[in-house]
């Protein structure tokens, strides 16, 4: 039982953690102008660190390796930006030529869906935009030459403050260039001082646990760096065929759409959709029919399917360690904090949070909420499903497990541990009789649902090995053997007996089952023991020595030639004392299912029942002699 003060402590700790997280979110929002360049620099440092390390291993001086990596990276970024800007300018010049096709398609849609207010409104908007574009073009053509202009505009310009005009023109350009320059400088110094920054971080937060802090730093660097590199490779392999396909289809500015697709795929889920919408709209504008639009959709759908199902699993799979829902939530959160740039940085930043939760106990909930690893062990998940009365989902999970393991392994590692969890809760008194009955019936339904898999394994001519032991334990052949499996004290014991019986059937034995109530009925036991060579009684309660002794002796009195064994997983010498077979006149007592199967199918003479020596003798009646 937990101490009374612990719930209050947990609640206090949870409340303090929530307040800390709210404070961190406020700081991230307020300090956006400072923290965004820092986050960009940190992520670029993670991405470029492997390149620097590669060059350093080949005896390249440190400063040369850092400058080469930084100059190469930012030159590629600058070239990318220049190509995008050039393509955007070219597209802007050609937009008026696409006006006619857009208006015709919208009008055709409006006529096809007459009475639809949305289509009519869209048609009016397109017509209004087209008329404004024509008006602006006509005005630009009718404008007088510069020599015929009135001096009035010049007079207005001269009256304005030159410094203010210059500031209005330059300041919007200074901000992005200043941010870019700051990021470049930060990346250079972070790469140069990487080891020193690592040591300072360890001294600041992890001197008391160097192992955990070092593991966290290595994990974060490996995950983020690998994600950024592999995502860049995946996006490139995605963007190149998109650009080539659009160029073959005749879509203008195909290079622009390929480059934008490369960048937008860093945005989870919605990035590829946005990258498809723009060329799709252009295909709608340049062609009079609809075939080009369908070809563009087919191109993006084909490349997307190949990328998601072939390229991504091949290159990096799920190395980020994030669940799909966590990726969506993180994208919403970081875009709310930092806008479009936060949307692009959402995945690597969330990876860092998951690493923090994985290595720092105080933030372990982050790994549970955002990570993609299973938060429940297989036996815990099975117990939860059986307790909820859902054997169907339990069967689905079991079938997934049995794709790589045998049935005996599943019952050994998952089935029996799940029953032990139920027995522990039963002994604690937290389960009602209805819950116990539902749990036991769900477990029996699970065993019945797995009967088809048991038949398939029975038909296989292969040995099952216990992988938990260093020495493989082969389960013997049960052909010609007859076994009775029964529960000892309750319905959960009956469920354990059903699992054991199914494994024995897989081994080829003839198996009969009985419930714990059947063993109490005196009329049932002699009939049940007909043609039975071995009886196995299952006990999930480790403190069942006295009860087991009574049953074993009763069965051996009824049929001395039968072998009687026990399956008592809890009698392991730690949670409960060991039960010696000789102490209860049993032939064998096992803690694991595989050992029980071996004991049941082993040919050996039964242990003779020890007849206790009575120290009290019955008094004899002495008859007095009668004198004649």
């Amino acid at each position: 039982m937990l101490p009374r003060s612990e719930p209050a402590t947990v609640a206090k700790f949870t409340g303090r953690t929530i307040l800390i997280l709210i404070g961190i979110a406020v700081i991230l929002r307020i300090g956006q102008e400072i923290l965004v360049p820092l986050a960009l620099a940190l992520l670029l440092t993670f991405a470029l660190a492997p390149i620097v390390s590669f060059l350093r291993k080949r005896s390249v001086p440190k400063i040369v390796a850092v400058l080469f990596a930084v100059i190469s990276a930012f030159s590629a970024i600058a070239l990318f930006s220049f190509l995008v800007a050039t393509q955007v300018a070219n597209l802007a010049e050609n937009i008026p030529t696409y006006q006619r096709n857009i208006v015709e398609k919208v009008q055709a849609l409006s006529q096809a869906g007459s009475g639809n207010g949305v289509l009519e409104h869209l048609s009016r908007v397109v017509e209004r935009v087209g008329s404004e574009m024509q008006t602006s073009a006509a005005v630009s053509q009718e404008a007088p030459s510069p020599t015929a202009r009135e001096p009035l505009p010049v007079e207005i310009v001269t009256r304005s403050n030159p410094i203010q005009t210059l500031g209005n023109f330059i300041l919007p350009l200074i901000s992005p260039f200043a941010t870019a320059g700051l990021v470049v400088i930060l990346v250079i110094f972070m790469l140069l001082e990487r080891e020193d920054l690592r040591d300072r971080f360890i001294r600041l937060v992890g001197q008391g646990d160097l192992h955990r802090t070092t593991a966290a730093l290595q994990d974060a660097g490996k995950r983020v760096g690998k994600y950024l590199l592999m995502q860049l490779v995946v996006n490139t392999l995605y963007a190149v065929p998109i650009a080539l396909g659009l160029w073959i289809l005749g879509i203008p500015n195909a290079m622009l759409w390929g480059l934008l697709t490369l960048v937008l795929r860093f945005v989870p889920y919605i990035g590829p959709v946005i990258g498809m919408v723009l060329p799709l709209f252009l295909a709608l504008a340049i062609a009079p029919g609809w075939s080009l639009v369908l070809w563009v959709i087919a191109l993006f759908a084909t490349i997307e399917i190949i990328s998601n199902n072939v390229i991504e699993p091949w290159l990096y799979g799920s190395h980020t360690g994030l669940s799909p829902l966590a990726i969506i939530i993180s994208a919403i959160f970081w875009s709310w904090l930092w806008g479009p740039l936060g949307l692009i940085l959402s995945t690597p930043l969330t990876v860092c949070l998951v690493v923090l939760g994985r290595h720092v106990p105080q933030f372990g909930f982050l790994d549970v909420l955002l990570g993609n690893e299973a938060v429940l062990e297989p036996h815990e998940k099975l117990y939860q499903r059986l307790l909820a009365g859902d054997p169907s989902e339990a069967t689905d999970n079991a079938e997934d497990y049995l794709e790589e393991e045998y049935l005996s392994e599943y019952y050994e590692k998952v089935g029996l541990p799940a029953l032990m969890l139920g027995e522990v809760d039963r002994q604690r008194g937290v389960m009602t009789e209805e819950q116990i009955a539902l749990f036991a019936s769900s477990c029996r339904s699970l065993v019945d649902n797995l009967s088809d898999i048991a038949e398939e394994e029975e038909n296989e001519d292969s040995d099952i090995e216990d992988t938990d032991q260093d020495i493989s334990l082969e389960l013997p052949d049960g052909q010609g053997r007859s076994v009775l499996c029964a529960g000892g004290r309750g319905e959960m014991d009956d469920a354990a007996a059903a699992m054991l019986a199914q494994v024995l059937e897989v081994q080829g034995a003839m198996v009969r089952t009985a419930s714990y109530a059947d063993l109490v009925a005196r009329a049932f036991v002699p009939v049940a023991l007909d043609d039975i060579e071995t009886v196995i009684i299952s006990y999930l309660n480790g403190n069942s020595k006295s009860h087991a002794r009574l049953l074993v002796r009763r069965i051996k009195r009824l049929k001395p030639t039968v072998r009687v064994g026990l399956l008592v997983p809890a009698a392991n010498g730690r949670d409960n004392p060991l039960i010696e077979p000789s102490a209860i006149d049993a032939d064998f007592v096992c803690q694991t299912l595989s050992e029980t199967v071996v004991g049941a199918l082993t040919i050996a003479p039964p242990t003779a029942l020890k007849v206790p020596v009575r120290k009290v003798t019955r008094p004899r009646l002495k008859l007095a002699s009668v004198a004649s």
Side-chain angles (χ1 to χ4, degrees):
M1 297 295 291
L2 295 174
R4 291 186 177 181
S5 60
E6 186 168 346
T9 304
V10 173
K12 182 179 179 181
F13 172 76
T14 305
R16 184 171 64 246
T17 304
I18 293 175
L19 291 177
I20 292 174
L21 292 177
I22 294 175
I24 292 174
V26 172
I27 293 173
L28 291 174
R29 185 67 180 269
I30 296 176
Q32 176 179 352
E33 296 183 358
I34 299 175
L35 296 176
V36 168
L38 186 61
L40 278 173
L42 183 61
L43 294 179
L44 287 174
T45 301
F46 279 131
L48 298 179
I51 301 176
V52 176
S53 300
F54 176 82
L55 296 175
R56 291 284 293 149
K57 291 178 181 178
R58 281 145 184 82
S59 302
V60 178
K62 186 175 184 179
I63 188 170
V64 175
V66 170
L67 291 177
F68 174 80
V70 173
I71 292 174
S72 301
F74 283 95
S75 298
I77 295 174
L79 178 61
F80 177 87
S81 303
F82 174 76
L83 292 176
V84 170
T86 304
Q87 294 290 313
V88 168
N90 187 13
L91 177 64
E93 294 178 358
N94 295 328
I95 283 180
T97 62
Y98 309 141
Q99 171 194 339
R100 183 184 298 256
N101 289 329
I102 297 175
V103 173
E104 290 178 355
K105 283 188 172 62
V106 174
Q107 288 178 349
L109 288 175
S110 178
Q111 293 174 1
S114 58
N116 192 327
V118 177
L119 294 176
E120 292 178 357
H121 179 70
L122 180 62
S123 178
R124 288 196 297 269
V125 169
V126 174
E127 290 177 354
R128 191 183 309 117
V129 172
S131 62
E132 290 179 358
M133 293 173 63
Q134 290 177 352
T135 303
S136 61
V139 170
S140 62
Q141 292 177 358
E142 296 176 359
S145 60
T147 57
R149 288 181 181 177
E150 297 293 333
L152 183 59
V154 178
E155 187 175 342
I156 293 175
V157 172
T158 55
R159 289 178 182 177
S160 62
N161 189 349
I163 298 178
Q164 183 179 0
T165 303
L166 186 63
N168 293 335
F169 178 76
I170 294 179
L171 287 179
L173 299 177
I174 290 179
S175 179
F177 283 104
T179 302
L182 180 61
V183 170
V184 172
I185 294 174
L186 283 173
V187 171
I188 292 175
F189 278 95
M190 284 183 177
L191 288 173
L192 288 174
E193 304 294 332
R194 186 173 47 151
E195 293 80 4
D196 184 63
L197 291 175
R198 179 199 60 201
D199 295 342
R200 292 180 183 276
F201 180 79
I202 293 176
R203 175 65 178 84
L204 182 64
V205 300
Q207 188 179 13
D209 195 348
L210 293 177
H211 172 74
R212 178 176 294 173
T213 308
T214 303
L217 290 175
Q218 291 178 344
D219 193 9
K222 181 179 179 180
R223 284 180 180 270
V224 176
K226 189 175 185 63
Y227 165 75
L228 293 175
L229 179 60
M230 290 298 100
Q231 189 66 46
L232 179 61
V233 174
V234 169
N235 292 359
T236 302
L237 295 177
Y238 181 92
V240 169
I242 287 293
L244 291 176
L246 293 176
W247 176 73
I248 294 173
L249 293 175
I251 302 296
N253 306 100
M255 181 182 294
L256 171 63
W257 311 124
L259 294 175
L260 287 180
T261 301
L262 189 149
V263 175
L264 288 172
R265 274 189 62 85
F266 279 101
V267 179
Y269 295 108
I270 64 173
V273 177
I274 298 174
M276 181 184 69
V277 168
L278 297 176
L280 198 63
F281 178 78
L282 194 58
L284 182 71
I286 65 174
W290 296 93
S291 59
L292 185 59
V293 176
L294 297 178
W295 277 109
V296 172
I297 294 176
L299 173 65
F300 273 91
T302 303
I303 301 301
E304 186 72 24
I305 292 174
I306 295 175
S307 177
N308 290 339
N309 295 280
V310 178
I311 298 178
E312 290 185 6
W314 173 48
L315 285 178
Y316 65 89
S318 58
H319 285 298
T320 59
L322 301 179
S323 65
L325 181 60
I327 293 176
I328 297 175
I329 294 175
S330 65
I332 296 173
F333 175 76
W334 289 108
S335 62
W336 170 71
L337 279 179
W338 292 348
L341 190 58
L343 189 63
I344 297 176
L345 301 177
S346 61
T347 300
L349 290 175
T350 309
V351 169
C352 295
L353 292 179
V354 171
V355 172
L356 177 67
R358 187 162 298 170
H359 296 280
V360 180
Q362 291 82 354
F363 296 96
F365 66 94
L366 292 175
D367 185 26
V368 175
L369 293 176
L370 304 176
N372 64 344
E373 295 183 357
V375 295
L376 293 179
E377 295 294 331
H379 68 281
E380 295 174 336
K381 192 173 183 179
L382 175 61
Y383 172 58
Q384 192 273 333
R385 287 293 85 204
L386 295 179
L387 190 62
D390 188 5
S392 298
E393 184 176 345
T395 303
D396 293 338
N397 296 332
E399 289 176 349
D400 294 338
Y401 189 96
L402 292 171
E403 290 180 357
E404 299 180 357
E405 299 286 349
Y406 286 103
L407 194 62
S408 61
E409 299 287 342
Y410 175 74
Y411 285 147
E412 185 82 81
K413 301 176 183 177
V414 182
L416 280 181
L419 290 177
M420 292 302 301
L421 291 178
E423 176 63 21
V424 171
D425 285 346
R426 187 197 65 79
Q427 294 181 29
R428 290 170 53 212
V430 297
M431 294 179 67
T432 63
E433 294 297 330
E434 291 77 10
Q435 288 178 323
I436 294 174
L438 179 62
F439 176 79
S441 63
S442 300
C443 186
R444 289 193 295 271
S445 298
L446 170 66
V447 175
D448 293 338
N449 294 339
L450 297 179
S451 58
D452 294 337
I453 297 179
E455 292 178 2
E456 293 176 1
E457 289 191 11
E458 186 177 356
N459 295 329
E460 293 179 2
D461 187 16
S462 59
D463 294 330
I464 303 175
E465 296 182 355
D466 185 8
T467 56
D468 283 341
Q469 301 180 3
D470 294 335
I471 301 176
S472 62
L473 182 62
E474 295 183 358
L475 299 182
D477 185 12
Q479 292 292 334
R481 308 293 297 172
S482 58
V483 183
L484 172 66
C485 297
R489 303 180 66 173
E491 295 176 285
M492 294 186 187
D493 296 335
D494 290 344
M499 293 181 181
L500 176 62
Q502 195 169 71
V503 175
L504 288 169
E505 288 178 347
V506 171
Q507 296 305 117
M510 185 192 73
V511 184
R512 296 171 61 184
T513 58
S515 69
Y516 74 101
D518 294 332
L519 297 183
V520 179
R522 293 182 176 273
F524 173 81
V525 177
V527 177
L529 294 180
D530 291 343
D531 302 327
I532 294 296
E533 299 173 341
T534 305
V535 177
I536 302 177
I537 306 173
S538 301
Y539 287 98
L540 297 178
N541 188 346
N543 294 319
S544 300
K545 181 177 179 179
S546 299
H547 191 278
R549 182 190 297 113
L550 292 175
L551 278 183
V552 170
R553 289 181 176 178
R554 181 183 174 193
I555 293 173
K556 282 186 174 290
R557 287 193 186 100
L558 293 172
K559 188 175 182 180
T561 59
V562 73
R563 301 178 69 245
V564 182
L566 300 182
L567 170 60
V568 193
N572 50 19
R574 299 186 301 271
D575 304 321
N576 297 284
L578 292 171
I579 300 177
E580 296 295 336
S582 58
I584 59 174
D585 294 329
D587 292 88
F588 56 90
V589 178
C590 303
Q591 288 80 47
T592 65
L593 186 141
S594 57
E595 292 176 352
T596 307
V597 172
V598 172
L601 300 181
T602 298
I603 301 176
T607 300
L609 181 64
K610 297 178 182 178
V611 179
V613 179
R614 298 178 61 86
K615 297 181 180 180
V616 178
T617 59
R618 181 180 299 177
R620 295 181 179 179
L621 180 61
K622 295 183 179 180
L623 298 177
S625 61
V626 179
S628 57

